[in-house]
């Protein structure tokens, strides 16, 4: 290997690392996948959501979202019945999510409230507020 090819290899590796780190930063901070930071709880009339989904708790998720999996684990652990709408696997669910202006997941509808993002304590609080105690 000559000096020029060594420099080229170093530059390519540095660029690849920089792109990987930058992509990770963008995914974490874009709000596409919502962790505890920036969790929003909103009031509203979500009867149309429940009517379409066929349940009184609705979870919009992505199949690859770790926070969606945590939300499902918590709901399952507390024996809470819910309807999951996986927007990257179901075209109808994706269209529903688009109509609801869902830009990040998970989004959980419970009673007159919706929670965007995942925060275990807030989800437990919402469940208890709406009579879904363990």
């Amino acid at each position: 290997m000559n000096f020029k090819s060594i420099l080229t290899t170093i530059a390519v590796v540095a660029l690849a690392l920089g792109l990987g780190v930058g992509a990770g930063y963008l995914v974490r901070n874009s709000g596409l996948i919502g962790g505890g930071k920036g969790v929003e709880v909103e009031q509203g009339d979500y009867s149309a959501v429940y009517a379409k989904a066929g349940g009184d708790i609705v979870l919009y998720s992505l199949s690859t979202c770790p926070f969606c999996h945590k939300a499902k684990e918590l709901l399952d652990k507390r024996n809470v019945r819910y309807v999951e709408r996986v927007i990257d696997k179901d075209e109808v669910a994706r269209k529903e999510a688009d109509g609801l202006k869902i830009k990040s997941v998970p989004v959980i509808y419970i009673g007159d409230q919706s929670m965007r993002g995942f925060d275990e304590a807030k989800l437990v609080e919402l469940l208890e507020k709406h009579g879904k105690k363990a």
Side-chain angles (χ1 to χ4, degrees):
M1 262 186 157
N2 63 31
F3 185 70
K4 186 176 180 182
S5 64
I6 292 171
L7 283 178
T8 303
T9 302
I10 290 170
V12 168
V13 169
L15 179 63
L17 285 172
L19 289 173
V21 170
Y25 175 83
L26 286 175
V27 167
R28 278 191 310 277
N29 294 299
S30 68
L32 181 60
I33 298 176
K37 184 174 100 177
V39 172
E40 298 175 32
V41 177
E42 300 173 346
Q43 292 278 133
D45 177 7
Y46 302 115
S47 55
V49 172
Y50 304 125
K52 278 186 184 177
D56 63 343
I57 296 179
V58 182
L59 166 67
Y60 283 89
S61 68
L62 287 172
S63 61
T64 57
C65 168
F67 297 105
C68 299
H69 292 288
K70 286 181 181 185
K72 290 180 352 182
E73 287 171 10
L74 183 109
L75 293 169
D76 291 340
K77 183 174 124 182
R78 295 176 65 92
N79 295 317
V80 173
R81 289 180 31 166
Y82 62 96
V83 176
E84 182 180 15
R85 310 295 285 144
V86 185
I87 61 178
D88 61 332
K89 300 278 184 182
D90 181 348
E91 183 66 23
V92 173
R94 187 192 60 74
K95 288 181 181 178
E96 288 173 16
D98 288 346
L100 294 167
K101 298 188 180 1
I102 292 176
K103 303 281 187 228
S104 65
V105 289
V107 176
I108 305 164
Y109 293 94
I110 303 173
D112 64 346
Q113 295 185 296
S114 68
M115 183 172 116
R116 295 175 185 267
F118 176 77
D119 179 294
E120 183 173 343
K122 284 185 181 179
L123 181 52
V124 167
E125 182 182 320
L126 284 176
L127 290 169
E128 289 177 355
K129 178 181 178 184
H130 291 92
K132 308 294 183 184
K133 297 181 191 231

